[in-house]
Amino acid sequence: MPNATTARLSRRGLLAAGGALGLGAVLTACGDDDAKDGGADTKGAAKSGPWSFKDDRGTTVKLDEAPKNIVAFTGVAAALYDYGIEVKGVFGPTTTKDGKADVQAGDMDVSKVTVLGNVWDQFNVEKYAALAPDVLISTMFDDAGTLWYVPEASKDKIAKLAPSVGISVFDRQLTAPLQRMWELAESLGADMTAAKVTEAKKRFEAASARLRKAAKAKPEIKVLVGSASPELFYVSGSNLSIDLEYFKALGVNFVEPTEAAKKATGGWFESLSWENVDKHKADVIMMDDRSSAIQPADITEATWKQLPAVKAGQVIARSTEPILSYDKCVAPVEALAEAIEKARKVS
């Protein structure tokens, strides 16, 4: 999953790097050890009365009313936006160097949100406090409840300002966090019966059926999942990541890193020098679309250009950190289905 310098980064930093967080408010979340996957409690939901939501840590956040001043990881904010819920502030990849919306910002108007940090380990606590946040929402890439892109050094200060909600994107299929984001949006007052919402879910289900059919028709097509940095090429394993676990369940034949390599990275990926980028044979290559990764058109390494899948034009983008709305998850599923349908056996 990662794709940047690895020597000095923690596992969380590795994941963020490529392939793959005046203090006034009091924390009102209380622990609840029941049911790790949690559940939404929408009694009296967003319009009036108390609000509560049990997240994937088993923590139930309770407020007197539905939160209005929401701060979220960029990808979470983008998903909520698709359901009609807008946030006040974001943290994580939001704008590119030219000021445009990052791929992880989805359809959000990034000029209308306060960006607390645009890169890993950046989070302006003072700006966060000024927003008077009701709740902070992020994803989690481990089973320890670590909130994605909340810096380790300032997490305690951040936690004192508002309760937090964590949605797990670790070691489960895509449909699980999609459902959890749906439940969260609904609890916040989103209209989940709106045509845009229900039609997006139907399109996602149709795309999934198409991918299953394509994978069944061409089981010999091997798909490699990669991410590029100046020094290294990363090959992702199909376990742990929500999209790859889902695609594998639909029958996609993935190239897997060696067991030794996966063990060294907690199961996530294998690091290869560009000289050894041809170690694994593949017919289709999915490449990390995040701004932290080098995109295929910009890879100049001769060994990359000689890969059979590259020469055959069988390279597609991968939404490495999917925006968890059904609308945004349709395209990646359709793209992989189409790639397998059209792929020639070149490995």
Side-chain angles (χ1 to χ4, degrees):
M1 186 177 181
N3 74 350
T5 305
T6 60
R8 59 185 177 82
L9 296 176
S10 65
R11 190 176 98 185
R12 293 175 68 233
L14 282 171
L15 292 170
L21 156 125
L23 307 181
V26 178
L27 185 66
T28 60
C30 59
D32 186 335
D33 294 328
D34 295 336
K36 178 183 176 183
D37 287 339
D41 179 359
T42 59
K43 290 184 295 184
K47 294 182 180 178
S48 63
W51 176 87
S52 69
F53 188 85
K54 182 188 286 186
D55 73 0
D56 290 339
R57 299 170 297 185
T59 297
T60 299
V61 177
K62 297 180 179 180
L63 299 172
D64 291 339
E65 60 181 2
K68 296 180 177 61
N69 292 347
I70 301 170
V71 172
F73 172 67
T74 302
V76 171
L80 292 175
Y81 183 88
D82 285 349
Y83 290 129
I85 303 298
E86 298 188 25
V87 306
K88 297 288 186 181
V90 296
F91 54 95
T94 307
T95 58
T96 58
K97 292 179 180 179
D98 59 5
K100 296 181 180 179
D102 188 274
V103 65
Q104 291 184 253
D107 292 333
M108 282 194 303
D109 184 343
V110 295
S111 69
K112 293 183 178 180
V113 293
T114 299
V115 181
L116 304 175
N118 200 56
V119 299
W120 180 255
D121 224 26
Q122 184 183 86
F123 191 114
N124 190 313
V125 181
E126 289 71 27
K127 281 187 177 181
Y128 179 56
L131 291 175
D134 294 321
V135 68
L136 178 148
I137 309 171
S138 191
T139 48
M140 302 181 296
F141 277 88
D142 60 28
D143 56 6
T146 307
L147 297 173
W148 192 232
Y149 266 80
V150 173
E152 185 70 23
S154 54
K155 67 177 183 179
D156 292 340
K157 290 181 179 179
I158 293 167
K160 291 178 181 177
L161 285 164
S164 62
V165 167
I167 301 297
S168 180
V169 290
F170 175 70
D171 196 16
R172 60 202 63 201
Q173 294 181 27
L174 177 61
T175 45
L178 270 174
Q179 179 61 28
R180 295 295 286 134
M181 193 63 70
W182 175 290
E183 293 167 357
L184 177 59
E186 185 174 41
S187 80
L188 293 169
D191 180 4
M192 310 312 282
T193 64
K196 178 183 177 181
V197 173
T198 57
E199 288 170 5
K201 189 172 183 179
K202 289 178 182 177
R203 287 189 292 113
F204 174 81
E205 291 167 349
S208 298
R210 178 183 175 185
L211 177 55
R212 185 189 297 277
K213 181 179 179 181
K216 184 177 181 180
K218 289 188 172 182
E220 73 281 5
I221 297 299
K222 296 182 179 179
V223 179
L224 182 145
V225 182
S227 184
S229 76
E231 299 85 10
L232 297 169
F233 183 82
Y234 301 93
V235 178
S236 293
S238 63
N239 294 328
L240 305 183
S241 295
I242 56 174
D243 61 329
L244 305 186
E245 286 204 16
Y246 183 56
F247 298 156
K248 182 169 64 174
L250 293 176
V252 176
N253 181 9
F254 283 111
V255 172
E256 297 289 350
T258 64
E259 289 303 318
K262 288 196 292 184
K263 185 177 181 180
T265 60
W268 287 100
F269 61 91
E270 177 179 7
S271 304
L272 297 176
S273 66
W274 282 104
E275 290 77 12
N276 295 315
V277 74
D278 60 353
K279 176 180 178 179
H280 299 289
K281 307 305 178 185
D283 305 296
V284 172
I285 300 176
M286 300 174 67
M287 290 295 290
D288 189 347
D289 72 350
R290 293 176 297 179
S291 55
S292 56
I294 299 176
Q295 297 307 299
D298 299 319
I299 298 175
T300 59
E301 300 290 342
T303 49
W304 162 262
K305 294 180 179 181
Q306 291 303 310
L307 292 177
V310 175
K311 293 174 71 175
Q314 295 176 175
V315 178
I316 64 171
R318 175 202 176 197
S319 296
T320 305
E321 292 184 49
I323 293 173
L324 296 172
S325 71
Y326 284 101
D327 179 70
K328 291 300 180 292
C329 286
V330 172
V333 182
E334 287 184 334
L336 181 54
E338 182 178 8
I340 293 175
E341 289 166 352
K342 294 182 177 179
R344 294 186 293 110
K345 183 69 179 175
V346 296
S347 63

